[in-house]
Amino acid sequence: MQHIIEKFPDEIVRKATKIKAIITDVDGVLTDGGIIYDGGEAELKKFNVKDGQIVKPLRENGIIVAAITGRDSAVVKRRLKELNFDYHVHGKLDKLNYFDEILETFQLKEEEVCYLGDDLTDIACLLKAGLGVSPADALTYVAAEADFITSKNGGEGVLREVADLILAAQNKLEKILIQFKSQEV
């Protein structure tokens, strides 16, 4: 999958080869950051199906998928359970504590973690991760702390872009494509 990784700087590809876990923020990364309330108690969010589609192949290829989100949202809990994330915690603004908990729980080193974030509460995790990534529309002072900025805005396939990079850098994406071509999924 050389054509996928050739658009990334060599240093980013090198970091991607070491990744064993992706930890992501939710609002502004897996969603566009918008929150819609109806007239009652319902909260609505829009997720990109391309992000969801890659979670199972990531997990099947040994990549842990986790989320740390500052909001406590039933919609987000439902989506992350549906996708079978390995770990997710909600309503936590002290994300670095949970980043460290993930490292300990899954026996990971910092350089083995890719963190995706777009706002103030993500900065410490972006700096600590082996590969810190921000969406194209992240706040500029947050994106300045990331190793890499995606071509996608939040909610438009940020996780998918990063997952494809990691899987291609680790020579795992071709196998996934072959499985889907032959319907052995």
Side-chain angles (χ1 to χ4, degrees), residues 38-49:
D38 73 356
E41 296 295 317
E43 177 181 316
L44 307 173
K45 293 179 184 280
K46 183 175 95 173
F47 296 89
N48 191 302
V49 101

Side-chain angles (χ1 to χ4, degrees), residues 131-150:
L131 179 58
V133 179
S134 286
D137 62 342
L139 297 163
T140 55
Y141 50 84
V142 175
E145 304 300 340
D147 296 306
F148 170 67
I149 300 167
T150 65

Side-chain angles (χ1 to χ4, degrees), residues 62-79:
I63 307 291
I64 296 158
V65 184
I68 306 169
T69 179
R71 296 193 73 253
D72 192 2
S73 165
V75 173
V76 172
K77 286 177 183 172
R78 175 182 170 191
R79 181 64 174 156

Side-chain angles (χ1 to χ4, degrees), residues 17 32 39 54 57-58 61 65 83 87 89 97 108 111 118 126 129 131 142 176 185:
T17 63
D32 65 6
I54 202 64
L58 280 167
N61 282 276
V65 184
L83 294 176
Y87 176 104
V89 63
N97 289 330
L108 297 165
E111 62 267 16
D118 71 313
L126 287 168
L131 179 58
V142 175
I176 294 167
V185 289

Side-chain angles (χ1 to χ4, degrees), residues 4 22 30 48-65 79 83-86 116 157-168 172-174 176-177 179-180:
I4 290 177
I22 298 173
L30 298 182
N48 191 302
V49 101
K50 291 181 181 103
D51 286 337
Q53 181 68 50
I54 202 64
V55 172
K56 182 178 178 189
L58 280 167
R59 295 182 73 244
E60 288 175 344
N61 282 276
I63 307 291
I64 296 158
V65 184
R79 181 64 174 156
L83 294 176
N84 203 22
F85 267 49
D86 295 291
L116 285 62
V158 171
L159 176 61
R160 183 57 170 269
E161 183 176 341
V162 173
D164 285 352
L165 160 64
I166 291 167
L167 291 166
K172 296 176 178 177
L173 189 57
E174 185 70 32
I176 294 167
L177 293 175
Q179 288 173 329
F180 277 88

